[in-house]
Amino acid sequence: MMVPIFTLKLNHKINPRMVSVGKFDGVHPCLTAATQAGKVFIHNPHDRGQRPATHRLSKSTHDSDISLLNINQAVTCLTAGTLGPNTTGDTLLVGSQTNLLAYDVHDNTDVFYRDVTDGANAIVLGKLGDISSPLAIIGGNCALQGFDYEGNDHFWTVTGDNVRSLVLCDFTGDGKNETVTSLCHMHGSRFGYALANGTVGVYDRTARYWRIKSKNHAMSIHAFDLNADGVVELITGWSNGKIDARSDRTGEVIFKDNFSSSVAAVVEGDYRLDGQKQLICTSIEGEVRGYLPASKDFKGNLMDSNTEQDLIRELSQRRQNLLLELRNYEENAKVSMLSLSFSDTMGVIPANTQLQTALSVRAATEAQRAHVELSISTPNETIIRAVLIFAEGIFEGESHVVHPSVQNLSGCVQVPIVPPKDIPVDLHIKAFVGGRTSTQFHVFEITRQLPRFSMYEIIEDSSAAPPAGIVSFSINERPQRVVMWLNQNFLLPEVVESPNVTFNSLRGGGFMSFHMASNGQVDEFHSVHQKLTADMADHSNYIRNMLVQAEDARLMADMVTTKKRYRELYDLNRDLINEYKIRSNNHNALLARLKSVNQAIQRAGRLRVGKPKNQVIAACRDAIKSNNVNGLFRIMRAGAASS
């Protein structure tokens, strides 16, 4: 079992996720962390000479190896790294809700101090895209901004939400780093992620390798090759003080340890100056532990030497569970020849029992708001005792349990679902099914997909007033393909055969109409949903829907429908290949236009200095968010939105 090679007890509390290791003199690594009361401590056990106090840096009264940097504001993010081209050591970057400080610890001087109107929730340092010099990229209130070593902002863009975490990785495989939020870069295009609900996992581009969920919160994640197999593992520090290392391919735990308090951060550095990097873990109480990568003798496995005993215990437990299950089956077989009432008690159900599901749209009433109704039923006299639904991003905690009272037991259960966003979601359903007097129940499992635009109700009344907004565009698609897209992405009571349909939005109200002319043009109304066409890029869900429908038909022995679905699947696959090239060209053109807009805003900002410069950038961002093109031009020319 791996043990720490060094342990430190620092007399300073550490803010979560605000720890870094930097070589401020170019040689000696120093542990740097944010503390309470607007201070940053720098632990340097390699240079114990007395440094004179300055306007910011001072010696700690508790530990001679620690220096304190007075920020005089609540620190929100922190990192260290090479920023300037001619600097000897790393630069310390400290962010707050209003400012960004770049500090040279070795020379005790400010490199630059900039106002940040959108705040600094997260920070990362490195090269981005075609920009030659390293940038300090900060994420704030729906914005990303990058500063060079002189404090000039060379990069700015907006995001769809507040930025909480940043990392640089080559996501597209073109050799250039792109900015991604809430992730931990591992290698290549593979990255780990952690969510606020305790979920941790690994993605490679858009393919998810694995994920796990814990009742504790993931405080910090880091990529480090701990078992010396040449591939980094995902190191996670948890709120309960646990640290674990998981394989990037399977999520298997290969190492774990525990702190007495919550983990603050996980970093790495050659802290002993012996030529080997150590994994450095810190707790919020100031405890620091360093771990060396495993030697060749322990390569690939860092768990306790009693793993064989753990495996035997696990297999014994599985054997006991299988024996218990076998005994239940034997008892059910014995009582199947007895009275029906007694067999009901033991959980015997008809052999043709199936779990049937249906989705339908329900408009708002006085008693209940608008929702999607999931109906779960059985085809015979059996009853559903309880239903457990797993769905990512819909229910709080990602799960929902329905447990009807004894007086209301029946063979049908309705579950209201309110999707917060227009995204396709897989509903993993487990139901307990048995007789009315059963004490033992059968567990049925089924997966049903909720379409992307499930919160839109089709309007049959053709006299409804048309929406005021209108969008017209041309597509190289047959009307049948548009009809197929409508049937697969909306919850319809029956299959539509024409692309000319009208929907009512159940979230905010308002109509949305589709009209397709013979020349292939589609007029899309309702300006609130202008981004609807961008969401059509996720055509891979078509294949999933078609496969589910084909498998449902196969299980019901409906071979005619099965052949029909697989023929449609073949045609769909051929069309998707052609559509991919079109979407790729459109995406590249969109990126080029966005880049031009950002560059124009940067040039407009450089025409001003100081506070007016920040005001112009912020006003341009607001104009883009509100789609006010004329206002954007006025801001660039005059510095304000007013004419």
Side-chain angles (χ1 to χ4, degrees), residues 5 42 97 107 251 280 381 401 505 532 602 608 613 620:
I5 58 170
I42 303 168
Q97 286 298 332
D107 295 334
I280 302 174
E381 294 78 12
V401 178
S505 174
L532 188 62
Q602 289 175 6
R608 286 91 178 170
K613 177 180 180 180
C620 289

Side-chain angles (χ1 to χ4, degrees), residues 490-567:
F490 291 84
L491 275 179
L492 304 174
E494 56 184 16
V495 177
V496 298
E497 299 180 355
S498 170
N500 302 323
V501 291
T502 301
F503 294 95
N504 178 30
S505 174
L506 299 182
R507 287 198 185 92
F511 295 124
M512 179 176 60
S513 298
F514 291 90
H515 294 282
M516 185 171 185
S518 58
N519 58 359
Q521 288 187 340
V522 175
D523 297 335
E524 184 185 15
F525 296 88
H526 193 10
S527 61
V528 178
H529 303 283
Q530 289 181 2
K531 295 173 63 178
L532 188 62
T533 54
D535 294 334
M536 293 173 62
D538 195 7
H539 284 296
S540 60
N541 291 297
Y542 291 173
I543 297 179
R544 185 186 303 172
N545 287 338
M546 203 67 67
L547 283 174
V548 171
Q549 295 177 16
E551 283 301 300
D552 287 344
R554 184 182 65 82
L555 293 174
M556 297 175 65
D558 186 358
M559 302 310 297
V560 176
T561 305
T562 302
K563 292 179 181 179
K564 178 181 178 182
R565 296 305 181 205
Y566 276 113
R567 282 196 299 267

Side-chain angles (χ1 to χ4, degrees), residues 436-468:
R436 290 190 173 274
T437 59
S438 295
T439 57
Q440 297 180 2
F441 296 91
H442 293 257
V443 179
F444 285 78
E445 298 186 19
I446 191 172
T447 299
R448 182 71 185 266
Q449 187 181 65
L450 193 66
R452 178 183 295 274
F453 306 110
S454 55
M455 289 294 286
Y456 295 82
E457 182 184 24
I458 191 169
I459 302 299
E460 303 291 347
D461 186 8
S462 60
S463 62

Side-chain angles (χ1 to χ4, degrees), residues 355 368 372-377 383-390 395 399-406 408-417 428-433 441:
L355 200 64
Q368 197 171 23
V372 176
E373 184 178 272
L374 171 64
S375 178
I376 306 169
S377 60
I383 58 99
I384 299 176
R385 190 66 184 89
V387 174
L388 178 61
I389 305 174
F390 296 93
F395 306 114
S399 62
H400 181 66
V401 178
V402 179
H403 200 285
S405 61
V406 179
N408 297 324
L409 290 178
S410 66
C412 183
V413 174
Q414 286 86 24
V415 182
I417 299 175
H428 302 281
I429 305 167
K430 296 184 179 181
F432 292 179
V433 179
F441 296 91

